[in-house]
Amino acid sequence: MSIQKPKGTQDLLPGEIEKWQYIEAKARELCQRFNFREIRTPMFEHTELFQRGVGETTDIVEKEMYTFLDKGDRSISLRPEGTAGVVRSYVENKLYGEPDVSKLYYIGPMFRYEQPQAGRYRQFHQFGIEAFGSVDPSLDAEIIALGYTFYKELGLKDVTVEINSVGNPAVRAVYREKIQQFFAPVKDKLCKDCQSRYDRNPMRILDCKVDQKYGEGAPTILEYLDEECQTHFQAVQQYLTAMEIPFRINPRLVRGLDYYTHTAFEYKAAGIGAIDTIGGGGRYNGLVGQIGGTDQPGVGFGLGMERILLVLQAQGVDIPAAKPLDVYLIGLGESAERECVKLLQNLRLAGLSAEKDYLGRKIKAKMKSADRYNAAYVAILGDDELAKGEITLKTMATGEQETLALSNFVQTLRERAGQV
């Protein structure tokens, strides 16, 4: 039996990977405009990092992490999300010593052991951003705006933003009691997970897909916000309105991670089934201190790349095709073939994309290969042309053929490709 890829993973093949490259390029270009710098952290960390950062009562830590003991008998986990690792790096590398707000972004794979479904894999990919060092609500709004702009510039339609405030620790302590009082009469009817959450983290019951019917009429955290939280939340709304970012308040939005404070938000889009969330994030003012650093406020998001591709496909959004091959070389004769190898290298060094046949095929098969590569030109060099210092160039779009001096061939193609 042949070895196959593990369940919940995928091979990203030529023809498909170009879509990923386009989305990643858009993310990098947008981050440059918003003055975010790239950071790359390890794909595995000490398990304690995620227990502290993500939260021991979350589904991620309780059920979904890939955790193992390494050869030094240390507990290691593949990263299930990006924020905890970035915070660890921020603390360890003393980025908090920088005079300005640290604005960072990452693109990479994450790992969660869960049942694969539409746009959700056990190895999945996220584009995320994190900003440290400021409690300014305009930074919350800026990060929400960056994600919304990213989706819009990719061509996604009908993307909506939902926001909520999850308060601060003092507010949540009060709200925790209210939620426990509300669910007390139906505690025994809740699912096994929510019965456990009742004592450890009752807010998470509101996030449960199984027990939603029991949450109808539950008090919302917005009813218990103190003045600080209300002021912050109202300011975020004012900034979003000023930037013309459409949003709606969802008082039941709590997100699935324990580290959020104040602003929580999600992006939603139709076309990918019942689970329509394509990304989200929020503010986490206590997380840096929780992980071991001098506490600094933070805010960020994580956007699922697979989800983006699903929505683009569902909405019929065309992603620009990969740039076609500039030229395909065909050598006819032993000396001409040797010269083509030299020409191929010179073309590539000059910044042009170039290819040739490596299978010893006939000219008809070589022309078909050039078609498959969508080559703009085919250059044909025979031994006779080589002796004359000439080469035949065919424009594939028109079928027009011309003879060029071999000595000027590379320069001529560079000019036609607009590189000089």
Side-chain angles (χ1 to χ4, degrees):
M1 181 179 176
S2 62
I3 298 174
Q4 298 182 330
K5 64 183 181 293
K7 182 178 180 180
T9 64
Q10 57 179 332
D11 297 315
L12 302 176
L13 305 176
E16 181 70 16
I17 196 68
E18 290 80 6
K19 298 175 184 178
W20 286 75
Q21 292 167 343
Y22 174 77
I23 292 171
E24 290 167 5
K26 170 56 68 177
R28 295 180 194 282
E29 184 268 331
L30 192 61
C31 283
Q32 186 177 28
R33 278 192 263 155
F34 278 69
N35 196 33
F36 281 77
R37 300 173 296 166
E38 185 175 10
I39 185 171
R40 301 188 187 188
T41 62
M43 284 191 284
F44 60 89
E45 301 267 6
H46 294 288
T47 302
E48 182 188 10
L49 172 67
F50 302 116
Q51 290 171 336
R52 279 202 207 177
V54 177
E56 292 192 49
T57 64
T58 61
D59 286 349
I60 292 174
V61 171
E62 288 187 332
K63 303 177 184 178
E64 298 172 1
M65 286 206 303
Y66 281 91
T67 299
F68 57 93
L69 293 178
D70 69 6
K71 291 184 178 181
D73 210 31
R74 292 170 289 254
S75 182
I76 298 294
S77 294
L78 300 181
R79 62 186 184 193
E81 56 92 53
T83 300
V86 173
V87 172
R88 192 268 312 146
S89 179
Y90 173 79
V91 172
E92 185 173 344
N93 294 288
K94 298 181 173 59
L95 298 184
Y96 50 79
E98 296 180 344
D100 299 310
V101 170
S102 292
K103 299 170 73 175
L104 308 168
Y105 79 90
Y106 58 87
I107 301 173
M110 312 292 163
F111 305 86
R112 294 184 193 175
Y113 188 85
E114 58 183 346
Q115 191 60 35
Q117 54 184 291
R120 179 169 288 178
Y121 295 85
R122 291 179 175 176
Q123 177 178 315
F124 60 100
H125 300 77
Q126 282 190 342
F127 158 44
I129 64 174
E130 317 290 350
F132 302 99
S134 172
V135 296
D136 190 338
S138 70
L139 190 57
D140 304 36
E142 176 183 306
I143 282 175
I144 294 171
L146 193 159
Y148 183 78
T149 304
F150 175 63
Y151 290 130
K152 294 292 286 184
E153 293 193 0
L154 284 175
L156 269 66
K157 298 179 280 291
D158 301 321
V159 174
T160 58
V161 178
E162 294 188 353
I163 65 171
N164 192 23
S165 173
V166 292
N168 56 29
V171 167
R172 280 204 302 279
V174 174
Y175 184 57
R176 173 193 177 94
E177 291 184 15
K178 300 297 182 182
I179 283 291
Q180 285 180 320
Q181 291 170 12
F182 177 84
F183 282 109
V186 295
K187 180 182 176 183
D188 293 340
K189 297 180 182 179
L190 298 176
C191 70
K192 184 178 178 181
D193 289 336
C194 284
Q195 287 182 22
S196 174
R197 290 166 180 157
Y198 180 87
D199 293 314
R200 294 191 294 168
N201 192 350
M203 279 181 65
R204 294 288 323 289
I205 300 175
L206 297 173
D207 202 36
C208 179
K209 303 298 184 287
V210 177
D211 290 331
Q212 283 191 349
K213 60 180 179 290
Y214 297 119
E216 292 178 8
T220 71
I221 196 168
L222 296 181
E223 300 169 41
Y224 301 96
L225 296 183
D226 59 20
E227 185 176 355
E228 175 209 357
C229 294
Q230 287 179 350
T231 301
H232 188 97
F233 191 45
Q234 288 169 0
V236 171
Q237 296 173 59
Q238 291 166 357
Y239 287 125
L240 289 173
T241 301
M243 290 188 286
E244 299 183 352
I245 305 296
F247 66 90
R248 79 176 188 90
I249 297 172
N250 177 1
R252 295 176 64 88
L253 174 61
V254 297
R255 300 287 295 153
L257 305 173
D258 283 355
Y259 49 61
Y260 288 116
T261 59
H262 290 293
T263 310
F265 61 90
E266 288 184 344
Y267 304 99
K268 295 183 179 291
I272 56 172
I275 300 175
D276 56 357
T277 302
I278 55 176
R283 179 167 280 282
Y284 43 87
N285 286 354
L287 183 59
V288 175
Q290 198 172 330
I291 285 178
T294 302
D295 198 26
Q296 293 285 331
V299 58
F301 68 50
L303 312 183
M305 303 286 280
E306 286 83 356
R307 290 295 179 92
I308 294 169
L309 284 158
L310 257 180
V311 178
L312 287 170
Q313 182 179 3
Q315 295 187 354
V317 179
D318 290 326
I319 293 178
K323 185 176 181 293
L325 195 69
D326 288 317
V327 59
Y328 189 96
L329 296 181
I330 296 177
L332 304 176
E334 195 172 318
S335 297
E337 274 287 356
R338 283 197 297 270
E339 182 66 21
C340 279
V341 172
K342 174 185 170 183
L343 274 179
L344 199 65
Q345 177 70 354
N346 289 339
L347 286 162
R348 290 165 174 170
L349 291 176
L352 298 165
S353 56
E355 187 58 286
K356 68 180 280 293
D357 176 68
Y358 300 96
L359 301 175
R361 294 176 290 193
K362 303 292 185 183
I363 187 169
K364 185 176 180 181
K366 293 178 180 181
M367 292 297 293
K368 286 183 178 179
S369 180
D371 265 337
R372 287 192 295 273
Y373 284 120
N374 197 23
Y377 299 99
V378 170
I380 303 169
L381 181 65
D383 286 346
D384 291 343
E385 287 88 353
L386 179 59
K388 297 177 185 176
E390 297 174 345
I391 189 168
T392 300
L393 187 69
K394 180 177 181 179
T395 304
M396 297 297 280
T398 63
E400 179 185 352
Q401 291 193 182
E402 57 189 307
T403 300
L404 300 176
L406 195 56
S407 59
N408 294 329
F409 173 64
V410 174
Q411 180 65 16
T412 300
L413 277 188
R414 284 191 69 201
E415 291 171 358
R416 295 189 183 185
Q419 295 199 6
V420 290

